[in-house]
Structures are given as structure tokens and as C-alpha cells.
Amino acid sequence: MKHFLQITDFTVEELQTTLKRTKAYKDNRLDASTCLNKESWGLLFYKSSTRTRVSFEVGIHELGGNPIVLNSQNTQIGRGESIKDTAKVLSRYLHGLVIRAYDHSVVTDFAKYSSMPIVNGLTDFNHPCQILTDLFSILEHLSPEAIDLEALKGKKVVFYGDTASNMANSWILAATYLDFDLVLAGPKGYEPKDTILNALGAKGLNSRHTFESDAQKASEDADVLYTDVWVSMGDEAEANQRKATLKDFQVNQTLLSKAKSNALFLHCLPAHINEEVTEAVIEGPNSIVYDQAENRLHTQKAILAQLKS
Ligand code: CP
Ligand code: NVA
């Protein structure tokens, strides 16, 4: 039995298969496999979600399964029932569980005590379903037929803003595991934390990112520009300080003009317009954010199919 808690939980070959399957599901959305035939999958949320919740709910339904949306407050988790007991009991009813939590240890503990696959729907450490979607969305442009990870080689991806966040960590894992160039453009003090460097070390990998505190310099000849909110869920108490510190890392026309003319702009969404990105960039010709959001559906179906294979 496999779990999907970070992208390194799949081999590179499995990731490539999942990306190709994503394209098949996208090309043929409603006539796809019914690999979850009659299975019930839980979706357990400790924090808010629009895309992850709806795309998994729709995707599980389209694969022939039954999605059951739960949250920590309306289950006994909110009254203190342990993860161990919750995981053991839910494993008797469900065939798999997607979890969005604050602390990454929640998903690793569920994985430890469950006898069903656990999928990480975002933690403070990383967001593997999102990063796999992001890679697919880029490869749709670089390698539209083959969706071949090799097409990332030699490309320059720049992540702007909160370079110590769950999405930055997801990019660090992806670049290191899949061997492509990543520039983290953030202020001093927002360098990647030990948690991500130790996670790579545990896999025998050294991070291959570079860190650049000059956003203009970071943007030169970029192939992909990526940003995320400056105040992630759970960071609200630091909102004012973060907005002041990160203001020079807003993705705007000035930064975009330094990148290649056909550079792609991505954002996992939700976006805060005129904070981390301007309206002109997110609505402009380089932006693929709405395709990217749609691709959450197709990619997640492919992740579930891979876990069943
Ligand atoms: N990108 C993403 O995970 O969106 P939600 O928070 O809406 O699920
Ligand atoms: N970094 C953001 C991602 C939201 C999809 C957060 O954790 O809130």
C-alpha cells in the first residue's frame, strides 16, 4: 500500500506515468477509467479549501467512487479523539483518505496508523498534489504530446515571495528530485528551513535551488514565474510584517519584462491581487493560472489511479 505525502513518495517513473495519465484523463474526461469502482474516499479538512476539496470530490465521483467530505470540527477529532483511533476506525470504512492539515505530522501519523492510502492535500510542509499539477501545466506547453519530464531540463523556474513556505518546499523537492533549475527569489531571512533540507538529506539528496534576494536579477531569462500568497493559512498573526517584508517580490510587469517573452506565469491560487501579483500579470497573456486550476482535477484523478495500480 502506497501513500502520497510528498512527490518523492512516487518514483520518477511513477511520476512520469501519472503525468501521462493526467493528459489521458484531461483528453477524455468523462469516459475514463472507473478504478475507484464503489470505493469510498474521505476528504478530511483541518483548514479551508476550494480547489482541493471540489476537484477531489468531483474526481473521485468521476472515477466511480464515493467522496465523503469531513472536517476536523464536525468529527470527534474536534473533541480530542486521537489520530491513531481515528485512522484505525476510518480505515474500516474508507478505501483512502485525503487530508489537509496544519502540521505535517498529522498526515504522517495518519499514514502510520491507517491501513488505507493517505494523500496529502496540503500541510505546512508541502503540497504534493499542487506541485504535480504545476509540473503538468508547464509540460502541457513544453511537451504537449509526450508530457515528458525531460522537457524541464535546462529551464529556469523562479519562485517569488515566501520562499520558506509549503509551496516553495514543494518546488525545492521537485527541482532536486527531478533535476531542474530553481531560483528562490525572496528576502534574506526567508531562506528554506532545515525541515526541507533535512527531508532531502533523508533521501540522500542535496537541494539544487539557488537563493536570490534581488527579484529583478532572479527574473532574467526565466522560463517560468511562480508565486503564492504572502500569508499562508496559519501565518495570519504575521500578516502585516510579511506584507512589508515581501513587497519587493510582487510579480508585476517589471519583473515579467526581464523574463523570456514566452515565459509562463503560474499561481496555485487563491491569489491576493496587488500583493504577490498584479492583476495585469495574472490576467495577462503569460498567465496559465486557470488552466492550472482546472488541471488539479485531472492530476488528482491520475494520482488516485497510480495509488490503485
Ligand atoms: N491551490 C489550492 O490548494 O487551493 P485550495 O486552497 O482552494 O484548495
Ligand atoms: N501557501 C498557501 C497555499 C494555499 C493553496 C497556504 O498554505 O495557505
Side-chain angles (χ1 to χ4, degrees):
M1 190 190 60
K2 287 179 278 193
H3 303 295
F4 189 61
L5 308 187
Q6 55 189 62
I7 63 161
T8 53
D9 288 344
F10 283 0
T11 65
V12 174
E13 196 181 7
E14 286 171 335
L15 290 174
Q16 181 64 76
T17 303
T18 306
L19 291 165
K20 285 182 185 291
R21 196 177 268 134
T22 300
K23 177 169 165 49
Y25 283 150
K26 185 167 185 176
D27 288 348
N28 203 1
R29 175 171 166 187
L30 292 181
D31 191 22
S33 103
T34 51
C35 62
L36 300 188
N37 185 28
K38 293 204 174 97
E39 290 192 359
S40 291
W41 279 64
L43 304 170
L44 173 59
F45 290 88
Y46 287 74
K47 49 188 177 184
S48 304
S49 171
T50 298
R51 281 145 287 271
T52 305
R53 181 206 152 157
V54 177
S55 56
F56 263 116
E57 201 169 347
V58 171
I60 290 164
H61 168 73
E62 288 182 5
L63 291 174
N66 172 39
I68 299 174
V69 179
L70 305 163
N71 71 55
S72 54
Q73 287 312 304
N74 68 12
T75 54
Q76 297 288 7
I77 296 169
R79 297 181 60 251
E81 188 166 19
S82 69
I83 288 178
K84 183 178 178 182
D85 278 1
T86 307
K88 287 184 169 199
V89 171
L90 289 181
S91 294
R92 300 292 179 107
Y93 307 133
L94 300 173
H95 298 89
L97 182 62
V98 179
I99 305 169
R100 169 167 288 194
Y102 287 93
D103 198 313
H104 191 65
S105 65
V106 170
V107 297
T108 54
D109 283 353
F110 264 99
K112 182 170 165 192
Y113 295 116
S114 294
S115 53
M116 60 185 164
I118 301 297
V119 176
N120 177 2
L122 179 150
T123 62
D124 59 356
F125 177 58
N126 84 128
H127 195 358
C129 300
Q130 181 70 55
I131 188 72
L132 200 54
T133 301
D134 300 339
L135 296 174
F136 176 80
S137 304
I138 294 165
L139 291 173
E140 272 190 311
H141 289 262
L142 300 182
S143 168
E145 290 310 315
I147 311 289
D148 186 351
L149 280 166
E150 285 293 311
L152 290 168
K153 298 269 159 70
K155 301 295 176 195
K156 178 177 175 182
V157 178
V158 187
F159 181 98
Y160 297 87
D162 184 1
T163 42
S165 67
N166 47 10
M167 277 317 307
N169 285 349
S170 304
W171 275 103
I172 294 169
L173 281 169
T176 306
Y177 195 50
L178 301 171
D179 199 25
F180 62 86
D181 294 331
L182 173 68
V183 178
L184 298 174
K188 292 199 170 67
Y190 280 71
E191 290 87 351
K193 294 185 181 133
D194 286 346
T195 43
I196 181 66
L197 304 176
N198 294 341
L200 288 168
K203 299 263 170 202
L205 299 167
N206 286 318
S207 179
R208 61 164 292 160
H209 74 272
T210 54
F211 187 83
E212 175 56 65
S213 55
D214 179 338
Q216 310 254 352
K217 199 168 157 200
S219 308
E220 285 165 12
D221 291 322
D223 295 284
V224 174
L225 299 89
Y226 196 104
T227 194
D228 182 14
V229 291
W230 290 342
V231 184
S232 285
M233 291 178 276
D235 291 337
E236 289 80 3
E238 299 171 8
N240 290 341
Q241 174 258 314
R242 285 169 162 272
K243 287 177 196 174
T245 311
L246 294 167
K247 66 179 171 22
D248 293 338
F249 297 88
Q250 179 192 69
V251 182
N252 52 32
Q253 292 289 5
T254 309
L255 288 193
L256 187 60
S257 68
K258 311 266 177 210
K260 290 192 179 142
S261 59
N262 62 348
L264 299 171
F265 172 73
L266 292 92
H267 188 311
C268 56
L269 304 180
H272 288 79
I273 302 299
N274 295 330
E275 288 185 17
E276 75 275 5
V277 62
T278 59
E279 182 147 23
V281 170
I282 202 165
E283 296 290 349
N286 299 78
S287 173
I288 58 167
V289 299
Y290 301 111
D291 291 337
Q292 180 190 1
E294 177 194 324
N295 289 336
R296 293 293 305 278
L297 169 64
H298 313 301
T299 312
Q300 280 152 195
K301 287 167 73 178
I303 291 168
L304 296 174
Q306 183 62 37
L307 288 169
K308 297 296 301 174
S309 68

